[in-house]
Amino acid sequence: RNKMPIIKLPEMYFIAAEAQRNTNMVNAAAMINQVRLHRGLTATPIDATNFDVTLQQEFRKEFLGEGQLFFFHKRKNTNSIPRSAGLNMITLKGYKLPIPVSEFSNSPGRVDNR
């Protein structure tokens, strides 16, 4: 009851698919479709043109409400997060979280990252 997974199996499949995207698209697509099949969905055709969109959709479905999608967009350096306020995250430095005040004030010489 009080346990929280560090990493889920579908996330491992998505990481492996993303790593093989440029070298073995067939295997990368198979990994994404493996997750889809285990969720009761049909396999979808995935190629280089729709890989990123499909992966993002699967991330949204798999990690709903877990906060993982933020880190997906941060890793991809997405300008704006779809279905949000439409703000430019890079201009706003939205992916760069501020250092907590307690750490900043207790370390002389530390430069704020804002």
Side-chain angles (χ1 to χ4, degrees):
R1 171 183 139 165
N2 293 327
K3 294 181 181 178
M4 178 181 244
I6 295 173
I7 191 165
K8 293 166 56 175
L9 187 59
E11 188 174 6
M12 295 293 288
Y13 275 91
F14 294 153
I15 290 169
E18 201 170 1
Q20 292 186 7
R21 176 185 183 211
N22 295 327
T23 57
N24 190 348
M25 179 57 74
V26 173
N27 196 28
M31 289 184 178
I32 293 174
N33 280 322
Q34 185 72 22
V35 174
R36 288 180 56 84
L37 292 172
H38 278 34
R39 297 295 177 250
L41 303 170
T42 59
T44 184
I46 302 171
D47 57 15
T49 58
N50 69 346
F51 181 84
D52 288 331
V53 173
T54 305
L55 184 64
Q56 180 179 327
Q57 289 173 346
E58 295 305 316
F59 251 89
R60 284 186 58 235
K61 288 189 285 188
E62 188 65 36
F63 303 110
L64 183 67
E66 293 184 19
Q68 289 294 332
L69 191 58
F70 171 80
F71 295 105
F72 174 80
H73 288 295
K74 181 177 179 177
R75 187 178 72 249
K76 293 289 197 175
N77 207 22
T78 309
N79 282 333
S80 64
I81 296 176
R83 298 185 183 172
S84 66
L87 302 173
N88 190 325
M89 294 294 285
I90 296 171
T91 307
L92 294 172
K93 297 184 180 178
Y95 295 129
K96 192 182 284 187
L97 301 176
I99 298 172
V101 175
S102 60
E103 288 186 27
F104 185 69
S105 60
N106 292 332
S107 300
R110 176 170 275 187
V111 178
D112 193 1
N113 66 348
R114 293 181 198 166

